[in-house]
């Protein structure tokens, strides 16, 4: 066995069986052999370290260059719209429900069998048109009996009157007692009362026959009937046989805050106010009508008052108990300076807008708002018609920023947000003045302020 001091290189010269101790020459030879490997490894490590520092210095210069570019002036893409002068309608919006102008629960006033139903469900009928027929034969029999009784009592009355005349003519001769004359006169009065009773019974029997023919009390639409021919109707029945509602015209009852009532009442004295009814989603105009009246009291729990408007409803767009949004046209402000509502910003100093300068830079201008109506805002000071204002992208702007103008996104467009709809005149479709998410609350407050 070789020990740790045995030189394996020298063993080749002396044989395999004889151990040979490691000399100083062998030790120097091993050190010389390991030196090139260490040197190569050291060079490789130094090269890797140098490459790392070079890459770090390059990325640092790139980041410094990008920061320098970000710090420099840049162009912001924004949407703009012109400041216009136009007439602005002032609307007061309230929640309401459609109510039939007249409603009748058709019931029988007599007891009898239903012989015929002359109308169909959903049919439009005229006033006086026959709806239901009830068997009138029992009442016709009563009528005949009373008429016969009347003839008998009338004959008795005539006989009593003739006897009274005879008795009266015999009084001067003393041939008859005064008591007999008075008794005969009382009999005539009694029979006269009986005749009048018979006549009243005849009128009652005729009235019952009239009640057997149920007619429409007004023009309206027949609802779903509850009974069919052959059933027995009773005057005490709780459920109606059918319901008749008047749809032309029709009414809408809506509520407004009590604060606007003085302005509405004042405008009603000057003329008739128009009311528009919109669908549940507040986007589709259903009908236009006139304000009829204001309720005589305010609801103290809600602080609102009820108003009633009437609509012709010729196209049957309104139905009883339908939920609608009612817009009352309070006034029309002539030649107002208007901007899109999306251009209005609010800061510590109040409301302002970014106006576009001729050199395509922006400047913040303080404005005074008079009225906000949907996507249109009326400005009383701070802007002039013809100027351009920024409607989108204001969060990236500051005074003096360079901009690139683009067209505004229409309300409800593909962007899905609240867009800026084109400002329409009052004679255009009323749907244009309703921006996404707009309500009548701001218009209400501004209208009162303006009055």
């Amino acid at each position: 066995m070789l020990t740790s001091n045995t030189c394996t290189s020298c063993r080749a010269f002396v044989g395999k069986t004889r151990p040979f101790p490691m000399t100083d020459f062998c030790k120097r030879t091993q050190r010389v052999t390991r030196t090139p490997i260490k040197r190569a490894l050291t060079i490789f490590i130094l090269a890797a370290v140098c490459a790392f520092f070079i890459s770090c210095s390059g990325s640092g210069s790139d980041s410094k260059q990008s920061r320098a570019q970000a710090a420099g002036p840049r162009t912001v893409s924004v949407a703009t719209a012109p400041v216009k002068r136009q007439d602005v309608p002032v609307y007061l919006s309230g929640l309401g429900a459609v109510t039939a102008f007249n409603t009748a629960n058709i019931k029988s006033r007599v007891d009898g069998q239903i012989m015929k139903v002359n109308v169909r469900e959903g049919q439009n009928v005229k006033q006086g048109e026959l709806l239901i027929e009830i068997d009138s034969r029992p009442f016709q029999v009563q009528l005949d009996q009373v008429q016969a009784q009347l003839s008998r009592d009338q004959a008795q009355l005539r006989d009593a009157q003739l006897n009274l005349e005879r008795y009266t003519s015999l009084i001067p001769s003393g041939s008859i007692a005064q008591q007999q004359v008075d008794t005969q006169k009382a009999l005539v009065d009694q029979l006269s009362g009986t005749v009048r009773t018979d006549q009243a019974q005849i009128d009652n029997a005729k009235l019952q026959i009239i009640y057997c023919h149920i007619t429409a009390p007004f023009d309206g639409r027949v609802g779903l009937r509850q009974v069919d021919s052959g059933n027995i109707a009773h005057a005490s029945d709780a459920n109606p046989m059918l319901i008749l509602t008047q749809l032309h015209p029709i009414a809408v009852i809506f509520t407004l805050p009590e604060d606007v009532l003085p302005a509405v009442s004042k405008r009603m004295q000057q003329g008739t106010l128009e009311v528009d009814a919109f669908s549940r989603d507040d986007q589709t105009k259903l009908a236009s009508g006139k304000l009829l009246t204001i309720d005589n009291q305010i609801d103290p729990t809600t602080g609102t008052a009820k108003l009633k408007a009437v609509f012709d409803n010729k196209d049957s767009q309104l139905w009883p108990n339908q939920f609608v949004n009612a817009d009352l046209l309070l006034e029309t402000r002539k030649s107002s300076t208007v901007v899109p509502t999306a251009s209005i910003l609010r800061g510590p100093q109040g409301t302002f807008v970014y106006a576009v300068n001729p050199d395509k830079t922006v400047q913040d201008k303080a404005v005074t708002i008079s009225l906000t109506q949907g996507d249109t805002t009326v400005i009383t000071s701070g802007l002039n018609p013809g100027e351009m204002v920024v409607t989108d992208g204001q969060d990236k702007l500051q005074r003096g920023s360079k901009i690139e103008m683009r067209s505004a996104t229409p309300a409800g467009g593909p962007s899905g947000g609240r867009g800026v709809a084109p400002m329409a005149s009052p004679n255009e479709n009323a749907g244009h003045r309703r921006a996404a998410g707009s309500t009548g609350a701001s218009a209400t407050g501004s209208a009162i302020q303006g009055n």
Side-chain angles (χ1 to χ4, degrees), residues 155-206:
Q156 293 179 355
L157 176 60
R158 287 193 298 271
D159 180 67
Q161 289 174 343
L162 292 174
N163 291 333
L164 178 60
E165 292 175 359
R166 294 190 191 98
Y167 293 164
T168 302
S169 63
L170 295 176
I171 290 178
S173 62
S175 302
I176 190 171
Q178 184 64 37
Q179 181 179 1
Q180 188 175 359
V181 175
D182 295 339
T183 302
Q184 188 63 31
K185 184 177 180 181
L187 179 60
V188 170
D189 294 339
Q190 180 179 357
L191 293 175
S192 297
T194 302
V195 169
R196 288 195 296 270
T197 300
D198 295 339
Q199 185 62 50
Q201 291 179 354
I202 290 175
D203 295 338
N204 180 67
K206 291 180 179 180

Side-chain angles (χ1 to χ4, degrees), residues 199-427:
Q199 185 62 50
Q201 291 179 354
I202 290 175
D203 295 338
N204 180 67
K206 291 180 179 180
L207 184 61
Q208 301 304 312
I209 294 176
I210 293 175
Y211 287 160
C212 291
H213 300 79
I214 301 176
T215 59
F218 49 80
D219 296 350
R221 180 185 176 92
V222 177
L224 303 179
R225 68 188 186 192
Q226 307 297 324
V227 295
D228 298 316
S229 300
N231 291 290
I232 302 298
H234 301 278
S236 59
D237 289 340
N239 296 326
M241 291 183 288
L242 55 88
I243 298 177
L244 183 66
T245 56
Q246 185 176 1
L247 304 181
H248 314 285
I250 203 168
V252 171
I253 297 178
F254 61 99
T255 58
L256 287 178
E258 58 181 329
D259 297 337
V260 306
L261 293 185
V264 176
S265 178
K266 180 180 178 181
R267 297 290 179 180
M268 286 184 64
Q269 296 175 2
Q270 299 175 0
T272 304
L273 300 181
E274 296 182 3
V275 179
D276 295 332
F278 285 80
S279 59
R280 179 185 294 271
D281 59 3
D282 209 17
Q283 296 299 322
T284 304
K285 183 178 178 180
L286 301 177
S288 295
K290 305 294 183 181
L291 182 63
L292 185 62
T293 185
I294 304 175
D295 198 5
N296 59 358
Q297 59 183 351
I298 296 174
D299 188 353
T301 59
T302 60
T304 60
K306 294 180 180 180
L307 294 87
K308 186 175 184 180
V310 59
F311 297 80
D312 291 336
N313 198 31
K314 294 181 179 180
D315 52 357
S316 299
Q317 291 293 316
L318 301 178
W319 294 85
N321 299 325
Q322 179 182 0
F323 176 84
V324 295
N325 292 278
D327 284 358
L328 171 64
L329 179 59
L330 186 64
E331 60 174 329
T332 300
R333 298 191 179 183
K334 303 292 185 179
S335 301
S336 300
T337 303
V338 298
V339 297
T341 303
S343 66
I344 302 298
L345 300 175
R346 287 168 174 80
Q349 305 301 326
T351 55
F352 68 96
V353 299
Y354 279 112
V356 180
N357 297 323
D359 58 353
K360 291 188 177 182
T361 59
V362 295
Q363 178 184 359
D364 53 311
K365 289 186 177 182
V367 294
T368 302
I369 297 176
S370 173
L371 169 68
T372 298
Q373 185 70 65
D375 61 349
T376 302
T377 298
V378 179
I379 301 298
T380 57
S381 64
L383 293 173
N384 295 318
E387 295 187 69
M388 299 292 293
V389 293
V390 178
T391 59
D392 185 32
Q394 299 98 320
D395 55 335
K396 303 176 183 178
L397 298 178
Q398 58 183 357
R399 181 179 299 181
S401 297
K402 294 284 292 183
I403 63 169
E404 179 183 355
M405 293 185 291
R406 54 182 171 84
S407 59
T409 302
S415 62
R418 177 171 178 154
V420 182
M423 289 175 287
S425 64
N427 295 328

Side-chain angles (χ1 to χ4, degrees), residues 99-111:
T99 304
F101 213 72
N102 288 298
T103 302
N105 294 328
I106 305 300
K107 295 182 178 181
S108 175
R109 303 183 66 175
V110 296
D111 297 343

Side-chain angles (χ1 to χ4, degrees), residues 11-152:
R11 229 178 62 187
F13 299 97
V14 299
K16 298 182 181 179
T17 58
R18 180 181 178 182
F20 189 82
M22 182 180 293
T23 63
D24 294 337
F25 174 78
C26 296
K27 295 179 180 178
R28 287 195 300 269
T29 303
Q30 289 183 355
R31 285 198 298 268
V32 172
T33 305
R34 290 195 297 264
T35 299
I37 299 175
K38 291 182 178 180
R39 187 175 298 172
L41 181 61
T42 303
I43 294 173
F44 177 77
I45 293 174
L46 291 175
V49 171
C50 292
F52 174 76
F53 281 109
I54 291 174
S55 62
C56 290
S57 62
S59 61
S61 61
D62 293 341
S63 62
K64 289 180 180 179
Q65 183 178 1
S66 61
R67 287 196 298 268
Q69 292 177 356
R74 61 189 181 91
T75 303
V76 180
S77 178
V78 297
T80 59
V83 180
K84 295 184 178 181
R85 186 181 297 278
Q86 64 182 35
D87 297 342
V88 178
V90 180
Y91 287 92
L92 303 180
S93 300
L95 302 179
V98 182
T99 304
F101 213 72
N102 288 298
T103 302
N105 294 328
I106 305 300
K107 295 182 178 181
S108 175
R109 303 183 66 175
V110 296
D111 297 343
Q113 185 180 14
I114 299 176
M115 302 301 295
K116 187 178 182 181
V117 178
N118 295 328
V119 293
R120 303 183 309 274
E121 296 174 330
Q123 177 181 344
N124 293 320
V125 297
K126 299 294 184 179
Q127 183 178 3
E129 186 174 343
L130 183 61
L131 302 179
I132 298 175
E133 294 182 18
I134 297 178
D135 188 7
S136 61
R137 291 174 296 179
F139 303 103
Q140 184 64 45
V141 172
Q142 294 180 6
L143 177 61
D144 296 339
Q145 291 177 348
V146 177
Q147 287 176 341
Q149 184 176 349
L150 175 63
S151 299
R152 182 195 63 187

